Amino acid sequence: MKKIFVVIVLISLLTIACKDKNPTDEELFNELQKTINNIENYSCDVSMIIHGNKKPEKYLAKYFFLKPNKYKVQYMDGKQDIYFDGKKTFFIYPDIDKVKIIQNKKETKENTSFFLGYFLERIQTSEEMQITSEDDYLIIKINLPGNNTSRKEQKIWFSKENFKPLKMIIIDSEGKETIEIKYTNLNYDIKLTEKNLFESL
């Protein structure tokens, strides 16, 4: 009986110790902030689904981000590339050899909701933020700036192990999902400079 009691006590102690080692959502969030804040640049593949009035539209693209606010989007169908140099957005259409330049701050700011590099800034300025867990992922939900009714909230699923994102969704004012982005092949701090980011411009 004594041996059985000792075994039970040891199992109980091990269970408690394992529970104590599991970080809380707040502790994971703090580590996530540090990770994102230390990122100088990144690249990733994305699969984007846009839910509109008609059937959902799917796009495949490659994202490049350079701190603090420069990025490039290359769509895999080759029909469009998007560049942002920190001030102006360039829309390039290779098929028709056309370039469109936008300096509208409101439209440019809305497009940044897809990039992790801007996420920490929004965390710090968002009036409301929710942190929850789902299996191996930490989920952050924040309000998006502006008055665009189709882009009111943003949710991102981050891995608890390496703080890389799994997916991101944009939610409208009615609580419906309008955009879903899934991230794959994400690499932090690659050999990316402003020169090679905008070499096609």
Side-chain angles (χ1 to χ4, degrees):
M1 287 295 292
K2 287 184 178 179
K3 290 183 178 179
I4 295 174
F5 177 75
V6 170
V7 170
I8 292 173
V9 171
L10 287 173
I11 292 173
S12 299
L13 290 173
L14 287 171
T15 302
I16 293 172
C18 290
K19 287 184 177 179
D20 290 340
K21 289 181 180 179
N22 292 331
T24 64
D25 289 350
E26 288 73 20
E27 289 172 337
L28 287 168
F29 175 69
N30 290 335
E31 290 301 315
L32 170 64
Q33 281 186 300
K34 292 177 184 177
T35 300
I36 295 178
N37 196 37
N38 289 331
I39 295 172
E40 293 298 324
N41 58 65
Y42 73 84
S43 69
C44 65
D45 297 326
V46 300
S47 172
M48 179 190 299
I49 298 177
I50 299 177
H51 301 277
N53 295 326
K54 300 179 181 179
K55 65 179 182 179
E57 297 180 5
K58 184 175 181 178
Y59 301 92
L60 300 176
K62 185 90 174 178
Y63 280 9
F64 299 88
F65 180 85
L66 181 64
K67 199 173 182 177
N69 61 352
K70 299 176 175 65
Y71 63 79
K72 175 171 67 175
V73 180
Q74 291 181 317
Y75 286 93
M76 303 309 291
D77 60 9
K79 293 182 178 180
Q80 185 186 60
D81 294 335
I82 302 174
Y83 298 79
F84 180 64
D85 66 0
K87 295 181 180 179
K88 300 184 294 293
T89 305
F90 300 81
F91 293 84
I92 299 177
Y93 305 91
D95 287 353
I96 58 176
D97 195 24
K98 181 180 178 181
V99 178
K100 179 182 178 183
I101 302 175
I102 293 179
Q103 289 183 289
N104 186 308
K105 291 184 178 180
K106 180 180 178 181
E107 186 171 346
T108 296
K109 196 166 187 178
E110 286 180 351
N111 289 333
T112 63
S113 59
F114 304 141
F115 292 90
L116 301 176
Y118 292 90
F119 189 68
L120 184 59
E121 177 184 344
R122 290 199 176 91
I123 288 175
Q124 295 169 339
T125 58
S126 178
E127 294 180 0
E128 295 183 14
M129 179 177 64
Q130 296 179 12
I131 306 172
T132 56
S133 284
E134 182 180 283
D135 298 326
D136 297 326
Y137 294 93
L138 187 70
I139 307 170
I140 313 296
K141 180 179 179 181
I142 61 174
N143 293 331
L144 289 173
N147 298 315
N148 189 333
T149 56
S150 64
R151 297 183 184 182
K152 297 299 291 184
E153 296 177 326
Q154 178 182 29
K155 287 178 69 175
I156 302 185
W157 281 251
F158 288 96
S159 166
K160 292 180 180 179
E161 181 180 356
N162 56 25
F163 300 116
K164 290 187 176 182
L166 170 70
K167 70 175 181 177
M168 181 270 290
I169 63 172
I170 300 293
I171 303 167
D172 67 12
S173 57
E174 296 180 353
K176 297 178 181 178
E177 182 180 312
T178 58
I179 299 173
E180 178 183 10
I181 295 179
K182 291 185 177 179
Y183 303 92
T184 56
N185 301 321
L186 189 144
N187 294 295
Y188 291 145
D189 295 325
I190 60 175
K191 293 181 179 180
L192 184 66
T193 64
E194 188 169 338
K195 182 178 180 180
N196 60 36
L197 183 66
F198 301 121
E199 61 185 356
S200 299
L201 285 179

